[in-house]
């Protein structure tokens, strides 16, 4: 591995676009110096960082093997390709894109199958009647086995899928599938339906740290610089800044904190406007409280960054690495 901090990002498609946009929002611009065919890059203005452009599945495997320090990949791939992921990686930050569910889907004509318990009965009956196991087409071998074991289903055989999994039942190569879906429209188009407790995993892209990577002093220093910006931008995205001249600022700040989780980042002032950082979902309610306590007007601003004295991302990584980031 390079002595630098190595961050793996998706090498193509919408995932790459979203990953680049995620870093850019935090002021971290990824440069691909040799053009689109160059599989190494850097972050403009941040020393000691190397970007590796890989497929999402390759990123997951490199995180497990210690080949990269951090990477952007899907939760589904982490749980599919990494044995005991809780011990080998730290899921630092959900990124809000790449949403998809890993689900069990059966033919619409199976009107009596509405749950995994129903599927267990069908699988057992299928083996008796047809003298073979029911077939499940999927590329999620480990997630399928874990979910079926959880529901006590043993009478099945996995047919590993490398292509369009949803077409397997119509093609006659499997009776049902386990696949990833975003809207469910592809399943519907192939005359398949979800079953009630058949959602195995709700996935989205995450920033993931590999705990077995070589976390040198230089790599840790670069990680701190990157994670400081990412954490500050993530905090800013979750809140809005409200300002207004109120009576009894301490009481208003305490009410907003207890009722809505708001904070007063600059303390409780006397004689000048109270500033609150309020969760996005509660902005109107926070403004109502401020106006009820004398504010003639309340201004609301969107923030770019909120740099706090503590950094949850680096603190969590530090804890997992046994204090090596200190």
């Amino acid at each position: 591995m390079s002595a630098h901090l190595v961050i793996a990002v998706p090498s193509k498609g919408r995932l790459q676009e979203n990953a680049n946009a995620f870093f850019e929002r935090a002021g971290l611009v990824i440069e691909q110096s040799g053009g689109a065919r160059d599989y190494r890059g850097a972050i403009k203005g941040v020393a000691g960082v190397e970007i590796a452009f890989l497929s999402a599945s390759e990123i997951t495997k490199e995180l497990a093997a210690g080949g990269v320090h951090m990477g952007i990949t899907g939760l589904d791939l982490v749980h599919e390709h990494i044995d005991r992921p809780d011990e080998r990686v730290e899921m630092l930050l959900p990124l809000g894109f790449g949403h998809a569910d890993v689900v069990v889907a059966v033919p619409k004509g199976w009107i009596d199958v509405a749950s995994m318990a129903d599927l267990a009965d069908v699988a057992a009956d299928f083996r008796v009647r047809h003298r073979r196991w029911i077939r499940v087409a999927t590329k999620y071998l480990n997630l399928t086995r874990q979910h079926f074991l959880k529901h006590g289903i043993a009478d099945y055989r996995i047919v590993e899928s490398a292509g369009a999994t949803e077409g397997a039942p119509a093609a006659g190569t499997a009776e049902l599938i386990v696949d990833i879906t975003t809207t469910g429209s592809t399943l519907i188009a192939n005359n398949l339906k979800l079953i009630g407790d058949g959602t195995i995993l709700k996935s989205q892209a995450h920033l993931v740290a590999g705990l077995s990577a070589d976390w040198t002093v230089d790599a840790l220093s670069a990680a701190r610089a990157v994670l400081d910006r990412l954490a500050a931008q993530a905090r800013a995205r979750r809140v809005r800044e409200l300002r207004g001249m109120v009576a009894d600022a301490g009481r208003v700040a305490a009410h907003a904190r207890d009722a809505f989780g708001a904070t007063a980042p600059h303390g409780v002032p006397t004689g000048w406007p109270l500033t609150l950082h309020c969760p996005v979902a509660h902005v109107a309610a926070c403004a109502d409280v401020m106006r009820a306590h004398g504010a003639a007007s309340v201004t609301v601003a969107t923030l770019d960054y909120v740099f706090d004295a503590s950094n949850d991302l680096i603190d969590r990584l530090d804890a997992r690495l046994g204090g090596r980031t200190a």
Side-chain angles (χ1 to χ4, degrees), residues 221-311:
S221 177
R224 181 176 291 278
V226 170
L227 293 175
D228 265 345
R229 297 196 197 183
L230 294 178
Q233 201 280 325
R235 290 189 196 101
R237 196 168 61 247
R238 292 193 295 265
V239 300
R240 296 292 182 266
E241 184 171 277
L242 282 69
R243 299 188 75 213
M245 184 69 75
V246 300
D248 197 352
R251 182 178 179 184
V252 173
H255 183 171
R257 179 197 63 215
D258 296 341
F260 312 117
T263 61
H266 309 308
V268 179
T270 300
W272 61 85
L274 171 66
T275 299
L276 293 177
H277 285 180
C278 183
V280 173
H282 300 298
V283 166
C286 279
D288 286 345
V289 170
M290 296 175 77
R291 287 183 293 174
H293 286 80
S297 66
V298 176
T299 60
V300 179
T302 299
L303 303 170
D304 293 326
Y305 304 100
V306 178
F307 288 97
D308 288 340
S310 62
N311 182 328

Side-chain angles (χ1 to χ4, degrees), residues 107-129:
K108 286 182 181 178
W110 291 15
I111 57 174
D112 294 330
V113 178
S115 68
M116 292 299 294
D118 295 335
L119 181 58
D121 292 339
V122 168
D125 183 64
F126 188 94
R127 187 177 183 187
V128 171
R129 294 176 61 184

Side-chain angles (χ1 to χ4, degrees), residues 22-323:
F22 160 71
F23 282 110
E24 286 179 12
R25 284 195 298 269
L28 301 168
V29 179
I30 293 177
E31 297 181 316
Q32 206 165 348
S33 57
R37 294 189 178 184
D38 190 345
Y39 291 97
R40 292 285 161 167
I43 294 180
K44 185 177 181 180
V46 182
V49 179
E50 182 177 332
I51 300 296
F53 298 98
L54 303 169
S55 71
S57 59
E58 289 173 328
I59 291 171
T60 308
K61 293 171 184 176
E62 288 296 318
L63 285 165
V68 300
H69 297 94
M70 296 190 291
I72 290 179
T73 190
L75 188 62
D76 59 315
L77 297 177
V78 169
H79 283 273
E80 175 62 25
H81 294 301
I82 301 180
D83 183 39
R84 303 186 309 279
D86 292 343
E87 300 175 14
R88 301 172 68 186
V89 298
E90 175 67 15
M91 308 299 292
L92 288 172
L93 189 66
L95 304 185
F97 60 84
H99 290 279
D101 297 342
V102 181
V103 301
V104 181
V106 302
K108 286 182 181 178
W110 291 15
I111 57 174
D112 294 330
V113 178
S115 68
M116 292 299 294
D118 295 335
L119 181 58
D121 292 339
V122 168
D125 183 64
F126 188 94
R127 187 177 183 187
V128 171
R129 294 176 61 184
H130 298 276
R131 297 185 179 181
R132 64 176 175 86
W133 284 321
I134 201 167
R135 296 166 299 174
V136 183
T138 188
K139 61 181 179 182
Y140 293 100
L141 281 66
N142 292 323
L143 285 172
T144 299
R145 289 173 181 140
Q146 292 163 14
H147 191 68
F148 278 46
L149 177 63
K150 175 183 174 182
H151 289 277
I153 301 177
D155 296 315
Y156 72 96
R157 177 170 69 89
I158 288 178
V159 177
E160 191 169 356
S161 171
T165 304
E166 64 275 2
T173 57
E175 280 68 51
L176 65 148
I177 71 168
V178 170
D179 201 12
I180 199 161
T181 182
T182 52
T183 65
S185 58
T186 302
L187 298 179
I188 293 171
N190 284 272
N191 291 312
L192 300 172
K193 67 175 183 177
L194 305 181
I195 58 177
D197 51 354
T199 299
I200 298 175
L201 181 71
K202 288 185 172 295
S203 181
Q204 66 172 296
H206 278 67
L207 178 66
V208 185
L211 302 180
S212 60
D214 183 13
W215 286 95
T216 64
V217 171
D218 288 343
L220 292 170
S221 177
R224 181 176 291 278
V226 170
L227 293 175
D228 265 345
R229 297 196 197 183
L230 294 178
Q233 201 280 325
R235 290 189 196 101
R237 196 168 61 247
R238 292 193 295 265
V239 300
R240 296 292 182 266
E241 184 171 277
L242 282 69
R243 299 188 75 213
M245 184 69 75
V246 300
D248 197 352
R251 182 178 179 184
V252 173
H255 183 171
R257 179 197 63 215
D258 296 341
F260 312 117
T263 61
H266 309 308
V268 179
T270 300
W272 61 85
L274 171 66
T275 299
L276 293 177
H277 285 180
C278 183
V280 173
H282 300 298
V283 166
C286 279
D288 286 345
V289 170
M290 296 175 77
R291 287 183 293 174
H293 286 80
S297 66
V298 176
T299 60
V300 179
T302 299
L303 303 170
D304 293 326
Y305 304 100
V306 178
F307 288 97
D308 288 340
S310 62
N311 182 328
D312 175 65
L313 299 183
I314 199 70
D315 288 348
R316 282 166 43 214
L317 182 59
D318 177 54
R320 296 302 304 276
L321 294 174

